[in-house]
Structures are given as structure tokens and as C-alpha cells.
């Protein structure tokens, strides 16, 4: 999967946030965005799942303009890990399985292992069935994020927006 941005321009709240942006990210590569608050990092990431479209320019995946793709189909290809980690009330297993087609024990555990969460999950009382949220465990921030990463990577997204 290749993500390409060409001559991108975006205005938000009456001011230009991004202008003339060009880059490509190839299969297996990572893109790191750094900059001060208000520099357009979040805006750029919001363009990939089409939370809104650019004012000018184009975002392409494997050469195809994403505005020509059904939003639902596009979003199925994207895993999202937010800065503010969100876990739902229920078991750790149900948090990892959320929104996935394959919810077998093997696929849940494989996702946890890949996200480097399985070790601490297994050490919790109840392991993957441990309850989190209301009336359950409150995993630390360092534990919540790998659980969310396991959830985001369960359907093997082509793009991981972290």
C-alpha cells in the first residue's frame, strides 16, 4: 500500500492549515509528523479516512484518489489508535475484538502478542477475560495503549493511523 499526497491545501476555521504539501509513504514505511500545536498534523491525519476532504490537491492510496472510493470501504482499511486511549467497559478480550470479523481466541491472542500486550494481560486476574472500566480493572496508561493497538490491528489494516 502506498499513500501519496499531492499539492494538498486545507483551510480550517478561515485560515490555511496546509498548503502545497507533497509526500509518499510506501508499503511498510512509517511517517512521523512533528510540529507545534496548530501546524496541521491532526488535520492531515483526518484526511486519510475522509473525515473531510482537502480544499485542493489529492490524497491517493495505491494510485487511486480516495474521493473515488466509498467511505465505508476506505475506513475498513484503516486502523486508528488515538492519543487519548479509549477502553470500553467489558473484558479486555471484548475490547480487542471490538469491530472485528474474526473474534476467535487465537486471533485475539495473536493481536495482543503483536501489540506487546499479552504478557501483562496474562498476568492480570482473569487474563483476557479480566473486566476493565466500570467496576473492573483500571489498566495503566502504559497498558491501555497496547490494548488499543491490538484492537486497531485486529483486522490487519492497510493503514494504521496512530
Amino acid at each position: 500500500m502506498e499513500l501519496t499526497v499531492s499539492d494538498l491545501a486545507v483551510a480550517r476555521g478561515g485560515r490555511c492549515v496546509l498548503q502545497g504539501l507533497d509526500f509518499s509513504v510506501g508499503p511498510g514505511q512509517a511517517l512521523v509528523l512533528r510540529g507545534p500545536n496548530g501546524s496541521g498534523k491532526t488535520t492531515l491525519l483526518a484526511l486519510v479516512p475522509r473525515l473531510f476532504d482537502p480544499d485542493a490537491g489529492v490524497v491517493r492510496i495505491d494510485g487511486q484518489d480516495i474521493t473515488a472510493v466509498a467511505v465505508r470501504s476506505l475506513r475498513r482499511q484503516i486502523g486508528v489508535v488515538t492519543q487519548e486511549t479509549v477502553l470500553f467497559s467489558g473484558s479486555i478480550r471484548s475490547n480487542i475484538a471490538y469491530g472485528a470479523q474474526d473474534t476467535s481466541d487465537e486471533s485475539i491472542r495473536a493481536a495482543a502478542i503483536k501489540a506487546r500486550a499479552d504478557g501483562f494481560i496474562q498476568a492480570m486476574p482473569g487474563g483476557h477475560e479480566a473486566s476493565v472500566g466500570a467496576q473492573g480493572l483500571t489498566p495503566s496508561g502504559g497498558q491501555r495503549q497496547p490494548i488499543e493497538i491490538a484492537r486497531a490491528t485486529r483486522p490487519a489494516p492497510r493503514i494504521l493511523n496512530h
Side-chain angles (χ1 to χ4, degrees), residues 93 102-112 118 128-129 154:
R93 182 190 192 292
D102 179 6
T103 59
S104 68
D105 290 340
E106 296 80 26
S107 70
I108 301 295
R109 181 122 193 259
D118 196 59
H128 286 265
E129 296 305 324
R154 287 279 334 317

Side-chain angles (χ1 to χ4, degrees), residues 7-161:
D7 201 24
L8 196 67
V10 177
R12 303 293 285 167
R15 77 176 186 88
C16 183
V17 178
L18 300 171
Q19 185 171 3
L21 188 61
D22 294 286
F23 67 85
S24 285
V25 182
Q29 292 182 322
L31 172 67
V32 176
L33 302 174
R34 291 184 48 191
N37 289 344
S39 63
K41 301 178 300 290
T42 301
T43 298
L44 178 60
L45 291 177
L47 291 171
V48 177
R50 290 195 60 204
L51 299 180
F52 59 89
D53 291 324
D55 296 311
V58 64
V59 177
R60 290 186 176 91
I61 296 177
D62 289 340
Q64 185 168 5
D65 184 340
I66 64 171
T67 61
V69 177
V71 172
R72 184 177 176 140
S73 174
L74 175 67
R75 290 181 183 165
R76 276 194 217 125
Q77 303 299 317
I78 301 170
V80 177
V81 178
T82 61
Q83 192 169 3
E84 296 296 323
T85 305
V86 176
L87 294 182
F88 308 105
S89 290
S91 68
I92 290 174
R93 182 190 192 292
S94 67
N95 269 276
I96 295 173
Y98 182 81
Q101 300 285 341
D102 179 6
T103 59
S104 68
D105 290 340
E106 296 80 26
S107 70
I108 301 295
R109 181 122 193 259
I113 290 169
K114 188 174 183 179
R116 298 186 176 162
D118 196 59
F120 72 79
I121 292 171
Q122 293 295 343
M124 292 179 169
H128 286 265
E129 296 305 324
S131 180
V132 296
Q135 321 260 308
L137 298 169
T138 305
S140 71
Q143 293 172 327
R144 286 192 306 266
Q145 190 163 53
I147 294 169
E148 187 175 27
I149 290 169
R151 177 176 58 227
T153 60
R154 287 279 334 317
R158 296 179 67 206
I159 299 171
L160 180 60
N161 188 341

